[in-house]
Amino acid sequence: MLETVRGPRQLIVGEGVAQNIPRVVAESGSRVLIVTDRVLLGQPGVAAIVAAVREKVQVVEVFSDATPDVPLTDVALAVAAAARVDADVILAIGGGTVIDLAKIVGVIRRHGGSPRDFYGESKVPGPTIPLVAVPTTSGTGSELTPVSVLTDPDRALKVGVSSVHIVPDFAIVDPELTYTCPATVTAHSGIDAFCHAVESYTARPRPHGPRDPVEQVFLGRNQITDHYALLAAERIARSLRRAVLDGGDTDARADMSYGSMLAGLAFSHAGNAAPHALQYPIGAATHTPHGLGVGLLLPYALDAAGDAISDRLANLAGVCGLDVTDASDAEAADTFLTWLDGLLADIGIPPTLADIGVARADLPRFAEMASGVTRLIQNHPGPTDTASLTAILEAAWTGDRTRRVLTTSRDSGRPRP
């Protein structure tokens, strides 16, 4: 046995817990950089948090110019804002973009250099300044994870900084802050969280040596990540449609916050896989939302790996509330994938890459680029050569959702979790 669990120093979850933010920030430092975006800053709930923090600490600088996908220009501007007040703590209030930006600002604030010095796994040399992360969406899980995803204009795909040192010190997850999240953002962030759960649960298990949990970030699935992933999938499956349809459904919002949090804990160790790796070049080329891309790609990647994970897809069918009691693994897996198609359609995810402007001629190039994202691709449970990745993209471009007959059924009546 060789496993590790990663997460914040303290995770606080539940309705109303945002009232603790000023105290947590003040106990972490006295010169605060608040990272958010202009839309959020104009919302009463976020404005009230900012005002309350101002009353508790000596100095507050607000950087509210965060833009999607964390371009390096935003990093430079936010680092300069932190320097102006000699910030010793960062408060991030927003979605994944905002929290990812805050993470890399903390790295540079403590260690200097530029974001390019830290691309890849375990390049951050040590702890950063304290970070309090407060999500306003239910999806990325960035408030819990060791990853910051950036956009570099000199590269044709998104890049990641992955290190145990950039996990936020405190994560304060209050579903009430998600009530104003628009339906489209709810859909895209929510399906991203579902992808995190499913990709973690189906990730390839890998043997490890005693140095690996320190030198690597994503290590493949284990029993702990399986537990988090299945709980996350259950919550999200029962509530994502409801949250998209009615943003005022507080029970659904609570489920989504909780499910997103659990999925973040799962992939902080297990890691994401092919849908995320393939979305990197596609997202950079099409400028489409991250969650839309990974959600679109998920069923095609699972279908391609079906022979290796039919038992796991069958378990997912059970936790997602599908009636597969008397089904074989192959039948239950097919039921899950068909249900997933319906979920994606119901929340507005396009069915094909052609629908989001991907040129078919670019598919082999995108597959080649994704194959180089080793920290993700090595978790995919199916073949990962360029030809196999290209085949996934071809299916996603044409919309070929015809399910193959899976051949790995083990029994016909095994109880599902």
Side-chain angles (χ1 to χ4, degrees), residues 35-43 46 62-67 93 98:
V35 180
T36 188
D37 65 44
R38 291 191 179 277
V39 173
L40 288 169
L41 192 60
Q43 294 182 357
V46 174
V62 178
F63 180 82
S64 60
D65 292 326
T67 55
I93 309 173
V98 166

PDB file of all heavy atoms in Angstrom, residues 35-43 46 62-67 93 98:
ATOM      1  N   VAL A  35      -8.424  38.595  -5.205  1.00  0.00           N
ATOM      2  CA  VAL A  35      -8.514  38.315  -6.640  1.00  0.00           C
ATOM      3  C   VAL A  35      -9.945  37.910  -6.952  1.00  0.00           C
ATOM      4  O   VAL A  35     -10.494  36.994  -6.334  1.00  0.00           O
ATOM      5  CB  VAL A  35      -7.532  37.205  -7.059  1.00  0.00           C
ATOM      6  CG1 VAL A  35      -7.644  36.933  -8.560  1.00  0.00           C
ATOM      7  CG2 VAL A  35      -6.104  37.573  -6.690  1.00  0.00           C
ATOM      8  N   THR A  36     -10.557  38.588  -7.920  1.00  0.00           N
ATOM      9  CA  THR A  36     -11.925  38.277  -8.328  1.00  0.00           C
ATOM     10  C   THR A  36     -12.120  38.800  -9.751  1.00  0.00           C
ATOM     11  O   THR A  36     -11.141  39.073 -10.441  1.00  0.00           O
ATOM     12  CB  THR A  36     -12.948  38.876  -7.332  1.00  0.00           C
ATOM     13  OG1 THR A  36     -14.251  38.413  -7.655  1.00  0.00           O
ATOM     14  CG2 THR A  36     -12.899  40.388  -7.313  1.00  0.00           C
ATOM     15  N   ASP A  37     -13.369  38.917 -10.198  1.00  0.00           N
ATOM     16  CA  ASP A  37     -13.615  39.550 -11.494  1.00  0.00           C
ATOM     17  C   ASP A  37     -14.666  40.637 -11.335  1.00  0.00           C
ATOM     18  O   ASP A  37     -15.311  40.754 -10.287  1.00  0.00           O
ATOM     19  CB  ASP A  37     -13.993  38.540 -12.578  1.00  0.00           C
ATOM     20  CG  ASP A  37     -15.320  37.832 -12.321  1.00  0.00           C
ATOM     21  OD1 ASP A  37     -16.298  38.509 -11.937  1.00  0.00           O
ATOM     22  OD2 ASP A  37     -15.395  36.612 -12.520  1.00  0.00           O
ATOM     23  N   ARG A  38     -14.830  41.449 -12.362  1.00  0.00           N
ATOM     24  CA  ARG A  38     -15.673  42.636 -12.244  1.00  0.00           C
ATOM     25  C   ARG A  38     -17.151  42.282 -12.040  1.00  0.00           C
ATOM     26  O   ARG A  38     -17.868  42.971 -11.311  1.00  0.00           O
ATOM     27  CB  ARG A  38     -15.498  43.528 -13.475  1.00  0.00           C
ATOM     28  CG  ARG A  38     -14.131  44.185 -13.540  1.00  0.00           C
ATOM     29  CD  ARG A  38     -14.060  45.266 -14.598  1.00  0.00           C
ATOM     30  NE  ARG A  38     -12.743  45.887 -14.609  1.00  0.00           N
ATOM     31  CZ  ARG A  38     -12.365  46.859 -13.784  1.00  0.00           C
ATOM     32  NH1 ARG A  38     -13.216  47.313 -12.878  1.00  0.00           N
ATOM     33  NH2 ARG A  38     -11.157  47.372 -13.868  1.00  0.00           N
ATOM     34  N   VAL A  39     -17.611  41.234 -12.692  1.00  0.00           N
ATOM     35  CA  VAL A  39     -19.009  40.832 -12.526  1.00  0.00           C
ATOM     36  C   VAL A  39     -19.278  40.439 -11.087  1.00  0.00           C
ATOM     37  O   VAL A  39     -20.257  40.882 -10.466  1.00  0.00           O
ATOM     38  CB  VAL A  39     -19.367  39.688 -13.486  1.00  0.00           C
ATOM     39  CG1 VAL A  39     -20.766  39.154 -13.189  1.00  0.00           C
ATOM     40  CG2 VAL A  39     -19.277  40.159 -14.933  1.00  0.00           C
ATOM     41  N   LEU A  40     -18.410  39.628 -10.519  1.00  0.00           N
ATOM     42  CA  LEU A  40     -18.595  39.186  -9.139  1.00  0.00           C
ATOM     43  C   LEU A  40     -18.478  40.346  -8.162  1.00  0.00           C
ATOM     44  O   LEU A  40     -19.234  40.438  -7.190  1.00  0.00           O
ATOM     45  CB  LEU A  40     -17.576  38.102  -8.792  1.00  0.00           C
ATOM     46  CG  LEU A  40     -17.808  36.747  -9.439  1.00  0.00           C
ATOM     47  CD1 LEU A  40     -16.595  35.857  -9.239  1.00  0.00           C
ATOM     48  CD2 LEU A  40     -19.046  36.077  -8.859  1.00  0.00           C
ATOM     49  N   LEU A  41     -17.541  41.249  -8.410  1.00  0.00           N
ATOM     50  CA  LEU A  41     -17.347  42.360  -7.496  1.00  0.00           C
ATOM     51  C   LEU A  41     -18.587  43.230  -7.410  1.00  0.00           C
ATOM     52  O   LEU A  41     -18.833  43.880  -6.383  1.00  0.00           O
ATOM     53  CB  LEU A  41     -16.146  43.194  -7.953  1.00  0.00           C
ATOM     54  CG  LEU A  41     -15.623  44.240  -6.960  1.00  0.00           C
ATOM     55  CD1 LEU A  41     -15.169  43.582  -5.671  1.00  0.00           C
ATOM     56  CD2 LEU A  41     -14.480  45.035  -7.582  1.00  0.00           C
ATOM     57  N   GLY A  42     -19.391  43.236  -8.468  1.00  0.00           N
ATOM     58  CA  GLY A  42     -20.625  44.005  -8.466  1.00  0.00           C
ATOM     59  C   GLY A  42     -21.794  43.316  -7.807  1.00  0.00           C
ATOM     60  O   GLY A  42     -22.873  43.908  -7.686  1.00  0.00           O
ATOM     61  N   GLN A  43     -21.609  42.069  -7.369  1.00  0.00           N
ATOM     62  CA  GLN A  43     -22.697  41.347  -6.724  1.00  0.00           C
ATOM     63  C   GLN A  43     -22.706  41.629  -5.221  1.00  0.00           C
ATOM     64  O   GLN A  43     -21.643  41.681  -4.581  1.00  0.00           O
ATOM     65  CB  GLN A  43     -22.571  39.850  -6.979  1.00  0.00           C
ATOM     66  CG  GLN A  43     -22.752  39.473  -8.443  1.00  0.00           C
ATOM     67  CD  GLN A  43     -22.672  37.986  -8.682  1.00  0.00           C
ATOM     68  OE1 GLN A  43     -22.421  37.209  -7.762  1.00  0.00           O
ATOM     69  NE2 GLN A  43     -22.894  37.575  -9.924  1.00  0.00           N
ATOM     70  N   VAL A  46     -20.593  39.256  -2.773  1.00  0.00           N
ATOM     71  CA  VAL A  46     -19.142  39.382  -2.866  1.00  0.00           C
ATOM     72  C   VAL A  46     -18.702  40.753  -2.353  1.00  0.00           C
ATOM     73  O   VAL A  46     -17.699  40.876  -1.643  1.00  0.00           O
ATOM     74  CB  VAL A  46     -18.670  39.155  -4.313  1.00  0.00           C
ATOM     75  CG1 VAL A  46     -17.174  39.433  -4.450  1.00  0.00           C
ATOM     76  CG2 VAL A  46     -18.993  37.728  -4.744  1.00  0.00           C
ATOM     77  N   VAL A  62      -7.604  45.137  -4.284  1.00  0.00           N
ATOM     78  CA  VAL A  62      -8.525  44.289  -5.044  1.00  0.00           C
ATOM     79  C   VAL A  62      -8.087  44.251  -6.502  1.00  0.00           C
ATOM     80  O   VAL A  62      -7.978  45.302  -7.147  1.00  0.00           O
ATOM     81  CB  VAL A  62      -9.973  44.795  -4.944  1.00  0.00           C
ATOM     82  CG1 VAL A  62     -10.901  43.914  -5.786  1.00  0.00           C
ATOM     83  CG2 VAL A  62     -10.442  44.820  -3.492  1.00  0.00           C
ATOM     84  N   PHE A  63      -7.828  43.048  -6.992  1.00  0.00           N
ATOM     85  CA  PHE A  63      -7.578  42.846  -8.419  1.00  0.00           C
ATOM     86  C   PHE A  63      -8.828  42.188  -8.990  1.00  0.00           C
ATOM     87  O   PHE A  63      -9.099  41.021  -8.714  1.00  0.00           O
ATOM     88  CB  PHE A  63      -6.359  41.957  -8.662  1.00  0.00           C
ATOM     89  CG  PHE A  63      -6.074  41.733 -10.122  1.00  0.00           C
ATOM     90  CD1 PHE A  63      -5.383  42.670 -10.865  1.00  0.00           C
ATOM     91  CD2 PHE A  63      -6.533  40.590 -10.768  1.00  0.00           C
ATOM     92  CE1 PHE A  63      -5.148  42.491 -12.217  1.00  0.00           C
ATOM     93  CE2 PHE A  63      -6.302  40.390 -12.118  1.00  0.00           C
ATOM     94  CZ  PHE A  63      -5.605  41.344 -12.843  1.00  0.00           C
ATOM     95  N   SER A  64      -9.592  42.950  -9.775  1.00  0.00           N
ATOM     96  CA  SER A  64     -10.871  42.451 -10.276  1.00  0.00           C
ATOM     97  C   SER A  64     -10.884  42.305 -11.789  1.00  0.00           C
ATOM     98  O   SER A  64     -11.952  42.271 -12.403  1.00  0.00           O
ATOM     99  CB  SER A  64     -12.000  43.396  -9.847  1.00  0.00           C
ATOM    100  OG  SER A  64     -11.787  44.700 -10.361  1.00  0.00           O
ATOM    101  N   ASP A  65      -9.709  42.201 -12.381  1.00  0.00           N
ATOM    102  CA  ASP A  65      -9.619  42.120 -13.846  1.00  0.00           C
ATOM    103  C   ASP A  65      -9.329  40.715 -14.352  1.00  0.00           C
ATOM    104  O   ASP A  65      -8.834  40.533 -15.465  1.00  0.00           O
ATOM    105  CB  ASP A  65      -8.537  43.079 -14.366  1.00  0.00           C
ATOM    106  CG  ASP A  65      -8.927  44.531 -14.173  1.00  0.00           C
ATOM    107  OD1 ASP A  65     -10.129  44.824 -14.283  1.00  0.00           O
ATOM    108  OD2 ASP A  65      -8.040  45.362 -13.908  1.00  0.00           O
ATOM    109  N   ALA A  66      -9.619  39.702 -13.550  1.00  0.00           N
ATOM    110  CA  ALA A  66      -9.414  38.323 -13.991  1.00  0.00           C
ATOM    111  C   ALA A  66     -10.297  38.023 -15.192  1.00  0.00           C
ATOM    112  O   ALA A  66     -11.483  38.341 -15.207  1.00  0.00           O
ATOM    113  CB  ALA A  66      -9.720  37.350 -12.857  1.00  0.00           C
ATOM    114  N   THR A  67      -9.713  37.411 -16.210  1.00  0.00           N
ATOM    115  CA  THR A  67     -10.438  37.054 -17.429  1.00  0.00           C
ATOM    116  C   THR A  67     -10.300  35.556 -17.682  1.00  0.00           C
ATOM    117  O   THR A  67      -9.412  34.906 -17.128  1.00  0.00           O
ATOM    118  CB  THR A  67      -9.911  37.844 -18.639  1.00  0.00           C
ATOM    119  OG1 THR A  67      -8.490  37.639 -18.760  1.00  0.00           O
ATOM    120  CG2 THR A  67     -10.173  39.339 -18.475  1.00  0.00           C
ATOM    121  N   ILE A  93     -11.920  34.923  -4.768  1.00  0.00           N
ATOM    122  CA  ILE A  93     -13.366  34.740  -4.765  1.00  0.00           C
ATOM    123  C   ILE A  93     -13.820  34.641  -6.211  1.00  0.00           C
ATOM    124  O   ILE A  93     -13.792  35.639  -6.947  1.00  0.00           O
ATOM    125  CB  ILE A  93     -14.098  35.915  -4.090  1.00  0.00           C
ATOM    126  CG1 ILE A  93     -13.499  36.229  -2.714  1.00  0.00           C
ATOM    127  CG2 ILE A  93     -15.579  35.609  -3.960  1.00  0.00           C
ATOM    128  CD1 ILE A  93     -14.068  37.485  -2.078  1.00  0.00           C
ATOM    129  N   VAL A  98     -10.347  32.465 -11.533  1.00  0.00           N
ATOM    130  CA  VAL A  98      -9.899  33.352 -10.458  1.00  0.00           C
ATOM    131  C   VAL A  98      -8.976  32.617  -9.493  1.00  0.00           C
ATOM    132  O   VAL A  98      -7.912  33.123  -9.102  1.00  0.00           O
ATOM    133  CB  VAL A  98     -11.118  33.934  -9.725  1.00  0.00           C
ATOM    134  CG1 VAL A  98     -10.715  34.582  -8.403  1.00  0.00           C
ATOM    135  CG2 VAL A  98     -11.829  34.950 -10.610  1.00  0.00           C
TER     136      VAL A  98
END
